[in-house]
Amino acid sequence: MSYVLLILGLALWVLGHMFKRIAPERRARMGDGGKGLFAAFILGGVVLMVIGYRGTDMIKVWYAPAFLVHVNNLLMLLAIFVFGMSATTGRLRGVMRHPQLTAVKIWAVAHLLVNGDLASIILFGGLLLWAVAEVIVINRSEDWVRPARGEPKGDVKLVIITLVAFAAIAAIHAWLGVWPFPR
């Protein structure tokens, strides 16, 4: 049953995020009330993914070598940094078109490197596929206007925020019983 919840959660996440791209006229007819509905889909998807993932039996598909933990942590630093580029006021603003979706792709690959169980492959692989598809759909449907570059001090803030966020995420993983560093 847990795998069903995991997959259903992924489906709600994808539907909640892609509906306005797949059916823009229908989404427009829903007006502002549709925002709440799709926010509920996304939140429900997250809840189902967490419950499903945590409830699955451990079915190992591969065993990751220990050195990949280092690669994972470096990729996670990069993912947090790239995600933050979407909100930076620094020189890096507008360097890439889809920093948040790119960060999700980096995050998913990092987690696939160190988690070789079936539930992880479904969760992180599914979110990786969604992020790739979302970028393709957006690129085909919308033109992009590159934002103006900001001041270098915004990039310094981004580095500091990245390091603090990484420490917080590592602490949360440790609190949940998943030690994110090599032993």
Side-chain angles (χ1 to χ4, degrees), residues 48-175:
L48 289 175
M49 284 187 280
V50 169
I51 292 169
Y53 182 78
R54 291 185 61 93
T56 58
D57 295 325
M58 178 61 72
I59 301 172
K60 277 300 207 183
V61 177
W62 77 77
Y63 293 89
F67 78 89
L68 287 179
V69 173
H70 297 293
V71 176
N72 171 47
N73 287 336
L74 286 173
L75 287 173
M76 285 307 304
L77 268 171
L78 179 63
I80 295 165
F81 182 82
V82 170
F83 191 89
M85 285 173 55
S86 67
T88 186
T89 58
R91 304 279 302 157
L92 293 173
R93 179 175 50 200
V95 167
M96 73 175 55
R97 181 170 182 180
H98 304 289
Q100 290 180 345
L101 290 168
T102 301
V104 170
K105 291 185 273 187
I106 295 167
W107 169 84
V109 168
H111 282 75
L112 286 169
L113 288 176
V114 293
N115 294 290
D117 61 289
L118 183 59
S120 293
I121 293 168
I122 292 169
L123 176 63
F124 302 118
L127 290 171
L128 175 61
L129 291 174
W130 160 74
V132 168
E134 186 85 21
V135 167
I136 291 168
V137 170
I138 291 170
N139 286 347
R140 288 185 178 167
S141 65
E142 298 174 7
D143 290 329
W144 183 50
V145 177
R146 185 179 304 273
R149 295 174 69 160
E151 297 295 321
K153 67 181 179 181
D155 298 330
V156 173
K157 287 184 203 174
L158 175 59
V159 169
I160 293 167
I161 291 168
T162 296
L163 294 172
V164 170
F166 181 80
I169 291 167
I172 291 168
H173 276 73
W175 178 67

